[in-house]
Amino acid sequence: MPASFPSLENLLFPYVEVAAFMVGTNLYLLRRIFPRPLSSPTLATVVLVVGLFVVGLGFWAAVIYSVFVPGDASTVAVFLAANSMMAVAGAWLIAVFLRAEERTVSATGWLWPGTLALLLVGNELLMGSAFVVAIGGPAGYGGYGAIALLSDGVGSVWFFGAMFATMVAIVLLLPLPRPERVALLGFSLTSLLGPFVSLDPLPAALGMAAVMGGVLLLVARELQRAPTAGYVRTSIGVLLGFGTMGLGEVLALANLSVLGGSFPFALATLLVMGGEVLVLARWAFGLPRTPTTPTAEHERSFVAQEISTASGGEPAASPST
């Protein structure tokens, strides 16, 4: 059985439980970053979310290290990585004391969306790689071992399943127009067929082509109905995503890569999924916001109004938000 699709015994326990817990944690963090109704995430929230994602990266890296180098040192590494979330709680408390809840992230830059996309996809990638090497063992990862392991991790059911749940959650959390949401949900369906590329490439390619064809038909029909500029941009993104994954799959089937047949498909998958999270996060951070907590400006405005009212004058006009 290929590493990307383990046996039923390995699929059921304990890996699926751990994967479900990690996916649930990621969805909770996404809910904090993109609350409903959508409001601007504070720097305190960003410190908490980014810190927990960084802890996740360290934990999965420690798990992979423990499989390759079992012993006391790797056990300590896993223990320290698992308990480092206490440091995140401490950093969050410090941020709160420094009034980070009164400041919001930039709505115009790419720093926070890029950080979120990198950490989110990186966690899913290392989780898939950790499960692959834990189930199949470290043998066979010599030479280009790290790249081969990461390729197998991307092509595994663990990575694609987690990314499918994550992408669907992001699309449902954001206030997207219905046509754009349908196109992006259809695009996410290709993740369900990704693990079968290593198991049986040709049927998997045909299945992904069928899904892509169905989504493209929906996109073409919507484009004939005087679509909005946002839908046109979404359609272009979906087409680029399909094209990139299709090219990676063709190169994998042709076995043209010196690093292994699965590497082009794995690289294309990482680029497409990371790009989708990046673009959606950047779009969401740039939306008009309603502050969830009083900012210093709002507090000063409130005090000014109270002083003006107490002195018998007209209430001071509050600054626009």
Side-chain angles (χ1 to χ4, degrees):
M1 187 72 69
S4 61
F5 205 86
S7 64
L8 184 61
E9 292 81 6
N10 289 327
L11 182 63
L12 291 179
F13 183 83
Y15 301 99
V16 71
E17 286 81 2
V18 176
F21 173 77
M22 295 305 299
V23 170
T25 301
N26 289 347
L27 297 185
Y28 167 76
L29 296 179
L30 290 173
R31 185 69 173 80
R32 292 294 301 265
I33 287 289
F34 305 123
R36 299 184 68 178
L38 196 65
S39 58
S40 181
T42 65
L43 287 180
T45 299
V46 170
V47 168
L48 178 64
V49 172
V50 169
L52 290 176
F53 274 134
V54 171
V55 167
L57 289 177
F59 173 75
W60 291 118
V63 170
I64 294 174
Y65 171 69
S66 69
V67 175
F68 279 98
V69 188
D72 294 338
S74 59
T75 301
V76 172
V78 173
F79 177 80
L80 291 176
N83 286 275
S84 58
M85 65 177 60
M86 298 302 297
V88 177
W92 176 77
L93 284 175
I94 293 174
V96 171
F97 289 147
L98 295 177
R99 307 182 73 176
E101 289 188 331
E102 298 178 4
R103 301 176 59 189
T104 56
V105 300
S106 172
T108 59
W110 289 89
L111 175 61
W112 293 120
T115 301
L116 176 64
L118 182 64
L119 293 177
L120 180 61
V121 177
N123 268 273
E124 309 296 11
L125 169 62
L126 290 187
M127 182 185 73
S129 301
F131 284 1
V132 164
V133 74
I135 293 173
Y141 290 109
Y144 297 105
I147 295 178
L149 177 58
L150 293 179
S151 297
D152 288 346
V154 172
S156 69
V157 66
W158 312 109
F159 176 82
F160 275 107
M163 285 307 303
F164 172 75
T166 299
M167 291 190 296
V168 168
I170 293 176
V171 172
L172 294 179
L173 280 173
L174 300 184
L176 293 164
R178 185 177 179 276
E180 295 181 38
R181 178 174 285 118
V182 170
L184 291 172
L185 288 176
F187 177 68
S188 301
L189 287 176
T190 57
S191 300
L192 298 180
L193 296 171
F196 294 94
V197 172
S198 298
L199 182 66
D200 204 342
L202 185 57
L206 294 176
M208 294 184 74
V211 173
M212 293 177 182
V215 175
L216 292 179
L217 286 176
L218 292 176
V219 169
R221 186 179 66 177
E222 191 65 32
L223 288 175
Q224 295 176 350
R225 301 177 178 178
T228 63
Y231 188 81
V232 172
R233 289 193 294 268
T234 300
S235 302
I236 294 174
V238 169
L239 290 174
L240 289 175
F242 281 155
T244 303
M245 293 187 69
L247 177 61
E249 194 166 2
V250 169
L251 294 177
L253 288 172
N255 199 22
L256 297 179
S257 173
V258 296
L259 300 178
S262 62
F263 177 72
F265 180 67
L267 179 60
T269 299
L270 287 177
L271 291 175
V272 169
M273 293 187 176
E276 180 181 5
V277 177
L278 172 64
V279 172
L280 288 178
R282 174 63 182 82
W283 175 81
F285 285 158
L287 288 177
R289 306 287 177 150
T290 300
T292 55
T293 57
T295 62
E297 184 180 4
H298 284 80
E299 291 176 356
R300 287 194 297 269
S301 174
F302 175 76
V303 172
Q305 290 182 33
E306 290 298 312
I307 293 175
S308 178
T309 303
S311 61
E314 292 296 327
S318 60
S320 62
T321 57

